[in-house]
Amino acid sequence: MTCRARSDVLIRQLEYLVALGREQHFGRAAAVCYVSQPALSAAIRKLENELDVTIVLRGRRFEGFTDEGRRVVGWAHRILAERDALLADLDRMRNGLRATVRIGAIPTAVPATPLMSSLFSTRYPLARVRIESLSSREISRRLAEFELDAGVTYLDNDTPPGTRSVELYRERYRLLVPADDELARESVVEWAAAAALPHCALMSTMRNRRVLDANMAAAGATLVPVVETDTVGALYAHIATRRLASIVAHTWLHAFGVPEGMCVRPLAEVRPRPAVGLIVSDREPTSIVVDALVDALSGADLSEALERSLPPVIPG
């Protein structure tokens, strides 16, 4: 077997292994790789024989990886990521960057991602952008396993180690309230007064909700929502149809505006405002796609763009 053919076989085996790690099921892994389950199993067994190590714990079904297998899976992610980076770099040199940048964003930051993708696409018009809504924990995992190029999340003590960050904006909060409510006549609403309204809010497992709960606690109040959800879309649907109040990030107003029959009111300012930013793996050599994204967003004043696009605060 030639060196080129041998390398092709190894890459394919590593792709099968990564798919198995992601799907945790032989059949599903085979399906996403467009091969039969026996072919995928045989390729992984061949890899085990070549490396002289047991990678997969097998019973009647997939039961996980051995300790050595988890190490091999980690290297498989790294090797495939470096392969993709090499191809993207060569493609950029030949034709301009055409690769796809893979971004995971926490749900509360998703409404701001059009500003990011616009900056990136303006700089690299032949490249593509893929954005997934993910938890901060999932973003950390998939960055570490080379399944994402970047994440958009809060920059705080929970920011994963081994990453570097670019601050994009600081979150501001506004109260969406029915236009006929007496608080709609206030120029600034105190957090304790807002807490007394029937609310729709994100679930307490989400970082944004924990920020709001901390602000409420500082004001001596507790937020007890009528409806809780884990998506901004569902939250807005309840605001629009049930006219429930909600404390929203200003990025959501940028994307969705103010539902009919509601008005927006400033809340008493809190300091410091939570920072939201781009995080990427701090490994060497850096990915050409990651470098391109960081280059496009570094120095970008998203805060100014978000402020300009906010709907005016309608006087009471």
Side-chain angles (χ1 to χ4, degrees), residues 138-274:
E138 186 69 3
I139 289 172
S140 298
R141 183 190 70 80
R142 293 178 63 174
L143 275 177
E145 294 184 357
F146 304 92
E147 294 179 358
L148 290 176
D149 297 304
V152 182
T153 186
Y154 288 103
L155 304 180
D156 53 24
N157 293 334
D158 293 331
T159 302
T163 60
R164 54 193 171 102
S165 62
V166 177
E167 183 176 316
L168 298 173
Y169 61 89
R170 288 188 173 263
E171 215 166 53
R172 303 175 69 96
Y173 302 107
R174 295 289 185 266
L175 176 68
L176 279 177
V177 62
D180 57 2
D181 191 276
E182 62 181 32
L183 285 183
R185 297 190 292 272
E186 299 292 327
S187 57
V188 176
V189 178
E190 297 298 327
W191 286 77
L197 296 169
H199 268 266
C200 181
L202 294 177
M203 297 171 65
S204 58
T205 54
M206 304 181 74
R207 181 73 176 87
N208 171 271
R209 172 62 185 282
R210 295 197 294 273
V211 170
L212 299 189
D213 285 345
N215 291 341
M216 283 292 181
T222 302
L223 186 64
V224 184
V226 174
V227 175
E228 291 182 305
T229 177
D230 64 352
T231 71
V232 176
L235 180 143
Y236 255 80
H238 280 83
I239 295 172
T241 59
R242 293 190 55 182
R243 299 184 69 207
L244 294 173
S246 188
I247 297 172
V248 300
H250 70 312
T251 50
W252 309 353
L253 292 169
H254 160 75
F256 304 119
V258 180
E260 185 177 355
M262 306 292 288
C263 71
V264 59
R265 279 289 173 267
L267 282 157
E269 191 67 69
V270 294
R271 297 286 182 176
R273 299 204 304 268

Side-chain angles (χ1 to χ4, degrees), residues 103-110 113 131-135 139 148 150-153:
I103 302 173
I106 57 174
T108 54
V110 167
T113 55
I131 297 169
E132 296 182 67
S133 178
L134 302 169
S135 68
I139 289 172
L148 290 176
V152 182
T153 186

Side-chain angles (χ1 to χ4, degrees), residues 269-293:
E269 191 67 69
V270 294
R271 297 286 182 176
R273 299 204 304 268
V276 176
L278 187 79
I279 60 171
V280 298
S281 177
D282 195 22
R283 68 178 186 273
E284 295 290 343
T286 59
S287 159
I288 187 68
V289 177
V290 169
D291 285 345
L293 181 63

